[in-house]
């Protein structure tokens, strides 16, 4: 669906993206996970033809660069920086963006209504964006990318600065879009979101792609061992193991089942993967 | 919206629909931007009205009266001399009836009157019922003053009449004439003849008596009423309209001048809008939509054109409450050319202004200066000669000139070519430079 090959981009002395190669498969949700400054937004910018790479190529649906206006029908973008007209209402914003895609007026009205519904902004359709909460603006920003039902959707930090309720509704929406067959590139620095949503996750740091695989395989390859904690009358014991189930069975087999008060498994997550790959925490 | 239009090819659709969407969006944003909206639409109207009313208010400017003396007699010359010393009337002697009437049509004179051959003869034959007739024309836009002018002329004639009653020589000659006429009219009723003889005698006595204490200044304001009797007949016609090449109302000056501010408002409102879109992030949506850079610029240009045209139309709409333009078709052409010229300027400015603050401020200041020199502060018609020449460097001047050409300067279509050509040429050059720079530049 989208091929990025050996992309490189620097701003002055900052190397924002450093030789990134990535292939997005049709129908998948691909997560771009990395801390702030990892180069995610720059990567999206190059993927949609907004930022010219210093070197490397981008190919959209095997048809060439998305800088070509004719190919832009294939993609929808929800930029990290909100791109909305504050002085227009939700409906006027969407209606304008739909106009850019040359939709006939009746289709445009239908699509605007359906999209407002999808992001739950129908009750506020006539209100100016100016008065919207962060979450509402994010949802409208996302809606603007969905209007023309693009097969490829690029969402750059779609949950930045939103309340938990809006975040959940955005995550539900992404799942809904995936179930309709949309290919999605989802950028985030929240590993929970990547873990919950993504079929595959690309871990980025300092402009480089460190690993790319399904969440489970990333964890088993780079996450390290699970930690099994058991609490008995005699105290607490922590054991690192590759096979927590076997470890629990062993604990139970060792002694009096009654004596075991609690057993906890701490599975490694993407956070541990990032820690193991970079030596730093994702949250730093 | 093009939905109801005949089916268009998808290619044409995808060219036009986004531009219309951009146009609508920008107009909507302008409508909601109080500052820009005010400065584009209301401020110019306020200026036009304010100065128009201020300059119109102090008592109507004096009457400049052309006088053609075809009689060339002592009496007609005396009449002219008396007119010259009448307050509120400036007398300009004209060699011929044609020259005088043309001057009125061109707005150079308020009115022009002709003292015809036989003026002296007719005014001395008072009692023969032959009232002297003065012909004249008046500027249609100054009809309000026609009453005043007529009043003044009648008053003067009355005073002359009074003088003739108080000047023994004049009365003697008049009564002698009358007596002769009396003798000649054989069929007059004897009783009436006797009565008239008595009257003429008493008039002569009265004149001789009162000559001693006659007013030293025969033109001192007279309060006598004519009692419905007119010593002269004045036939004042309205001059043919339209070919006069001078403003007929202060609005004819102040509203075309205000056009500079309307155009400036439109240019200001849109020259920073690309930059605003960039800083607000919306430009990135435009660049990721399936439209070309050219369409983005075209959308801005279209919105600016509509705004510039409507802002001028609003001004003209207020102007015509008091003062009509001479030519509607030429006015619409002038407004269109002015709008197009300034759209070109906007395109260039919007492309070269690098930031919302700095570059915008500089182009704002430059525009302001050009507008002031182009007739925005001092109306073109009131500029000293050197300044009128210098103002040719300002595109605003050509806009004002084109509008004035249609409103009161009486430009022919050929004369219109110059200001309109300059506007279109300037617009084309600016737009071409802006377009080229824009195509070379990355948007984001
Ligand atoms: N337009 C730009 N000019 C200068 N530096 C930039 C620009 N965009 C990004 N950068 C730098 O490139 C690096 C990557 O930024 P970005 O792609 O925004 O990362 P992320 O989206 O992962 O937070 C950062 O160090 C950032 O400061
Ligand atoms: Mg980012």
């Amino acid at each position: 669906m989208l091929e990025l090959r050996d992309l490189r981009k620097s701003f002055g002395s900052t190397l924002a993206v450093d030789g990134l190669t990535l292939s997005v498969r049709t129908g998948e949700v691909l997560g771009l996970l990395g801390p702030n400054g990892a180069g995610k937004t720059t990567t999206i910018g190059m993927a949609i033809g907004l930022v010219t790479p210093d070197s490397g190529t981008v190919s959209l649906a095997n048809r060439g660069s998305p800088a070509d206006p004719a190919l832009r029908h294939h993609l929808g973008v929800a930029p990290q920086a909100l791109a909305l007209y504050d002085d227009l209402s939700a409906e006027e914003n969407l209606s304008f963006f739909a106009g850019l895609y040359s939709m006939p007026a009746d289709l445009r009205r239908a699509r605007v209504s359906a999209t407002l519904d999808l992001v739950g902004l129908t009750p506020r359709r006539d209100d100016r964006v100016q008065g919207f909460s962060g979450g509402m603006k994010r949802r409208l920003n996302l809606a603007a990318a969905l209007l023309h039902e693009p097969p490829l959707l690029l969402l750059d930090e779609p949950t930045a600065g939103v309340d938990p309720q809006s975040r959940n509704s955005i995550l539900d929406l992404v799942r809904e879009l995936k179930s309709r067959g949309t290919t999605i590139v989802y950028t985030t620095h929240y590993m929970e979101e990547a873990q919950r949503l993504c079929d595959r996750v690309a871990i980025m740091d300092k402009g480089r792609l460190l690993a790319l695989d399904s969440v489970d395989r990333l964890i088993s390859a780079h996450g390290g061992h699970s930690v099994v904690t058991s609490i008995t009358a005699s105290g607490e014991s922590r054991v690192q193991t590759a096979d927590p189930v076997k470890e629990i069975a062993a604990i139970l087999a060792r002694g009096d089942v009654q004596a075991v008060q609690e057993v906890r498994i701490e599975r490694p997550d993407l956070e541990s993967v990032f820690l193991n790959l970079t030596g730093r925490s994702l949250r730093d | 919206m093009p939905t109801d239009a005949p089916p268009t090819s998808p290619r044409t659709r995808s060219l036009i629909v986004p531009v219309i969407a951009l146009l609508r969006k920008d107009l909507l944003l302008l409508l909601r931007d109080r500052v820009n909206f005010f400065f584009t639409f209301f401020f110019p109207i306020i200026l036009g009205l304010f100065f128009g009313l201020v300059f119109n208010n102090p008592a109507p400017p004096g009457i400049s009266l052309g006088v053609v003396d075809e009689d060339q007699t002592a009496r007609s010359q005396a009449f002219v001399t008396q007119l010259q010393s009448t307050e509120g009337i400036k007398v300009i002697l004209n060699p011929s009836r044609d020259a005088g009437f043309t001057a009125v049509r061109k707005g150079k004179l308020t009115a022009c009157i002709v003292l015809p051959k036989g003026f002296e003869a007719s005014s001395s034959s008072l009692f023969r019922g032959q009232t002297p007739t003065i012909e004249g024309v008046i500027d249609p836009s100054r009809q309000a003053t026609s009453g005043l002018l007529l009043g003044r002329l009648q008053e003067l004639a009355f005073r002359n009449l009074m003088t003739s009653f108080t000047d023994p020589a004049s009365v003697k000659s008049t009564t002698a004439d009358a007596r002769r006429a009396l003798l000649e009219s054989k069929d007059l009723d004897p009783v009436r003849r006797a009565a008239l003889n008595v009257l003429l005698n008493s008039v002569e006595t009265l004149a001789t008596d009162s000559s001693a204490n006659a007013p030293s200044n025969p033109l001192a304001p007279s309060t006598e009423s004519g009692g419905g009797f007119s010593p002269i007949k004045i036939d004042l016609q309205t001059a043919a309209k339209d070919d006069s090449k001078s403003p007929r109302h202060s609005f004819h000056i102040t509203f075309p001048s205000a056009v500079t501010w309307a155009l400036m408002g439109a240019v200001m409102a849109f020259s920073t809008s690309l930059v605003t879109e960039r800083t607000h992030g919306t430009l990135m949506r435009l660049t990721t939509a399936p439209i070309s850079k050219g369409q983005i610029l075209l959308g801005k240009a279209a919105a600016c054109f509509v705004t510039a045209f409507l802002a001028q139309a609003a001004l003209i709409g207020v102007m015509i409450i008091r003062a009509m333009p001479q030519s509607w078709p030429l006015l619409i052409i002038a407004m269109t050319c002015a709008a197009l010229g300034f759209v070109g300027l906007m395109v260039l400015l919007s492309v070269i202004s690098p930031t919302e603050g700095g570059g915008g401020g500089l182009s704002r200041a430059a525009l302001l200066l050009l507008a002031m020199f182009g007739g925005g502060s001092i109306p073109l018609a009131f500029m000293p000669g050197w300044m009128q020449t210098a103002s040719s460097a300002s595109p605003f001047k050509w806009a004002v000139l084109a509008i004035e050409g249609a409103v009161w300067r009486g430009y022919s279509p050929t004369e219109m070519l110059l200001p309109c050509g300059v506007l279109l040429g300037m617009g084309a050059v600016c737009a071409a430079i802006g377009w080229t720079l824009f195509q070379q530049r990355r948007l984001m």
Side-chain angles (χ1 to χ4, degrees):
Chain A
M1 182 52 123
L2 178 69
E3 305 280 340
L4 311 179
R5 199 157 300 133
D6 203 25
L7 289 179
R8 228 170 279 269
K9 178 76 189 178
S10 46
F11 298 102
S13 58
T14 318
L15 191 55
V17 173
D18 182 11
L20 181 123
T21 298
L22 184 74
S23 167
V24 183
R25 299 174 187 158
T26 304
E28 75 172 341
V29 178
L30 178 90
L32 266 185
L33 177 68
N36 282 325
K40 306 182 294 294
T41 299
T42 309
T43 304
I44 297 280
M46 290 188 285
I48 61 179
L50 203 64
V51 175
T52 319
D54 297 339
S55 65
T57 56
V58 178
S59 168
L60 179 62
N62 284 324
R63 306 256 297 270
S65 161
D68 176 4
L71 283 182
R72 296 192 194 139
H73 275 287
H74 293 277
L75 48 87
V77 191
Q80 179 176 4
L82 294 169
L84 299 167
Y85 296 97
D86 284 349
D87 288 330
L88 300 185
S89 71
E91 182 175 8
E92 286 162 348
N93 263 286
L94 293 188
S95 183
F96 165 62
F97 293 129
L100 296 182
Y101 289 84
S102 309
M103 280 183 215
D106 41 1
L107 174 62
R108 183 173 356 173
R109 272 190 291 275
R111 286 300 305 153
V112 167
S113 291
T115 313
L116 281 170
D117 241 8
L118 199 62
V119 298
L121 285 175
T122 304
R124 303 294 301 267
R125 64 189 297 158
D126 294 322
D127 296 343
R128 305 242 177 118
V129 171
Q130 220 154 28
F132 280 15
S133 72
M136 288 159 67
K137 286 184 184 174
R138 272 288 156 214
R139 282 185 277 155
L140 189 61
N141 194 47
L142 180 55
L146 308 176
L147 282 167
H148 57 292
E149 303 185 285
L152 173 64
L153 206 52
L154 297 112
L155 312 179
D156 195 359
E157 310 253 4
T159 59
V162 309
D163 53 289
Q165 204 184 331
S166 277
R167 166 187 277 213
N168 282 331
S169 85
I170 289 170
L171 296 186
D172 287 345
L173 179 59
V174 173
R175 269 191 285 264
E176 162 75 18
L177 291 166
K178 174 188 153 61
S179 76
R180 295 184 189 180
T182 312
T183 309
I184 299 167
V185 176
Y186 188 104
T187 285
T188 183
H189 62 275
Y190 298 116
M191 66 104 193
E192 304 86 351
E193 290 180 5
Q195 216 155 338
R196 275 171 65 182
L197 282 177
C198 301
D199 300 315
R200 292 195 302 153
V201 174
I203 295 184
M204 277 191 80
D205 189 41
K206 296 182 176 161
R208 293 228 295 275
L209 179 66
L210 302 181
L212 169 58
D213 215 328
S214 69
V215 175
D216 286 342
R217 269 186 273 180
L218 278 174
I219 291 172
S220 54
H222 307 283
H225 293 313
S226 298
V227 176
V228 175
T229 309
S230 56
I231 301 168
T232 57
S234 55
E236 189 183 295
S237 86
R238 289 168 62 90
V239 179
Q240 281 208 11
T241 169
D243 191 345
V245 178
K246 204 167 151 194
E247 180 58 32
I248 292 170
I251 292 170
L252 295 179
R254 259 199 304 274
D256 185 1
V257 177
Q258 305 298 318
V260 181
Q261 289 163 0
E262 195 181 330
V263 176
R264 262 197 326 259
I265 309 172
E266 282 170 49
R267 294 180 59 85
D269 52 15
L270 288 176
E271 174 68 50
S272 351
V273 173
F274 190 81
L275 190 69
N276 287 333
L277 286 171
T278 65
R280 291 182 295 117
S281 161
L282 195 54
R283 281 178 248 276
D284 285 348
Chain B
M1 289 285 102
T3 23
D4 306 324
T8 43
S9 77
R11 199 177 144 66
T12 326
R13 275 197 56 85
S14 65
L15 281 178
I16 294 172
V17 175
V19 174
I20 291 174
L22 283 159
L23 163 73
R24 278 193 45 171
K25 182 267 296 174
D26 269 336
L27 291 181
L28 207 55
L29 285 177
L30 176 66
L31 211 62
R32 292 184 184 165
D33 177 344
R34 294 215 188 102
V35 174
N36 274 334
F37 191 75
F38 172 81
F39 277 105
T40 309
F41 285 92
F42 287 104
F43 181 65
I45 290 178
I46 291 169
L47 281 185
L49 273 178
F50 177 76
F51 288 108
L53 294 176
V54 163
F55 285 127
N56 216 29
N57 242 359
I63 299 166
S64 57
L65 179 66
V67 177
V68 182
D69 184 1
E70 287 182 347
D71 199 32
Q72 295 287 347
T73 56
R75 186 171 281 270
S76 69
Q77 273 159 15
F79 190 83
V80 172
T81 317
Q82 285 159 9
L83 265 178
Q84 278 166 338
S85 53
T86 306
E87 200 191 327
I89 295 183
K90 185 167 171 261
V91 172
I92 294 106
L93 282 174
N94 267 266
S96 75
R97 180 185 290 251
D98 277 353
F101 286 12
T102 306
V104 174
R105 271 201 300 279
K106 291 195 165 174
K108 294 209 170 75
L109 293 174
T110 314
C112 180
I113 55 169
V114 179
L115 308 179
K117 272 200 162 51
F119 177 75
E120 181 180 57
S122 63
S123 47
S124 46
S125 51
L126 182 65
F127 293 99
R128 268 191 268 176
Q130 241 186 308
T131 321
T133 300
I134 294 178
E135 285 174 67
V137 291
I138 186 160
D139 183 339
S141 67
R142 296 292 303 275
Q143 268 172 342
T145 47
S146 94
L148 184 71
L149 181 62
L150 284 175
R152 284 285 152 87
L153 290 171
Q154 297 282 10
E155 195 183 318
L156 194 60
F158 262 114
R159 280 191 219 137
N160 276 339
L161 185 63
M162 294 321 291
T163 318
S164 58
F165 276 120
T166 52
D167 170 17
S170 157
V171 169
K172 280 244 170 56
S173 112
T174 308
T175 49
D177 271 0
R179 268 184 227 282
R180 215 172 304 123
L182 210 54
L183 280 172
E184 282 164 13
S185 45
K186 302 264 189 290
D187 48 353
L188 197 66
D189 178 340
V191 179
R192 180 154 290 191
R193 187 189 301 267
L196 283 171
N197 263 320
V198 172
L199 175 68
L200 289 172
N201 284 341
S202 56
V203 166
E204 277 171 10
T205 325
L206 179 74
T208 333
D209 283 357
S210 57
S211 64
N213 49 16
S216 53
N217 173 11
L219 287 175
S222 119
T223 47
E224 277 97 327
S225 131
F229 161 75
S230 264
I232 50 171
K233 212 169 113 200
I234 304 169
D235 178 19
L236 205 54
Q237 302 282 338
T238 307
K241 257 185 169 178
D242 273 343
D243 53 347
S244 145
K245 297 188 175 180
S246 72
R248 306 179 172 287
H249 193 278
S250 54
F251 278 18
H252 276 166
I253 295 287
T254 60
F255 279 81
S257 281
V259 160
T260 56
W261 303 111
L263 292 171
M264 164 130 162
V267 171
M268 290 291 191
F270 290 101
S271 62
T272 50
S273 89
L274 265 181
V275 179
T276 310
E277 299 239 24
R278 195 197 319 271
T279 53
H280 290 208
T282 45
L283 189 59
M284 97 64 91
R285 253 196 221 295
L286 304 189
T287 32
T288 53
I291 56 174
S292 66
K293 283 158 83 181
Q295 281 171 299
I296 296 176
L297 206 53
L298 206 59
K300 294 276 172 221
C304 184
F305 174 80
V306 172
T307 304
F309 192 88
L310 289 182
Q312 294 181 82
L315 275 171
I316 298 301
V318 176
M319 183 190 84
I320 60 172
I321 294 172
R322 290 285 184 83
M324 281 291 178
Q326 275 175 356
S327 164
W328 280 108
L330 286 181
L331 181 58
I332 290 176
I333 291 172
M335 285 160 61
T336 308
C337 292
L340 286 173
F342 280 83
V343 165
L345 191 64
M346 181 283 292
V347 165
L348 179 60
L349 287 178
S350 73
V351 175
I352 61 175
S353 62
T355 60
E356 211 168 341
L362 203 69
S363 59
R364 223 167 272 246
L367 262 189
L368 198 70
L369 218 63
L370 285 176
M372 283 166 61
F373 258 86
S377 52
I378 307 174
L380 285 183
F382 301 161
M383 281 181 186
W386 66 267
M387 199 173 166
Q388 283 199 22
T389 314
S391 71
S392 299
S394 166
F396 289 99
K397 176 225 176 107
W398 298 100
V400 175
L401 209 57
I403 304 282
E404 285 186 349
V407 166
W408 61 264
R409 285 184 190 265
Y411 276 12
S412 65
T414 328
E415 286 173 297
M416 215 42 156
L417 283 178
L418 176 65
C420 286
V422 170
L423 285 167
L424 293 179
M426 170 202 75
V429 169
C430 289
I433 298 174
W435 182 274
T436 313
L437 290 175
F438 189 67
Q439 292 297 338
Q440 287 167 1
R441 180 185 296 184
R442 287 200 57 84
L443 264 186
M444 298 289 299

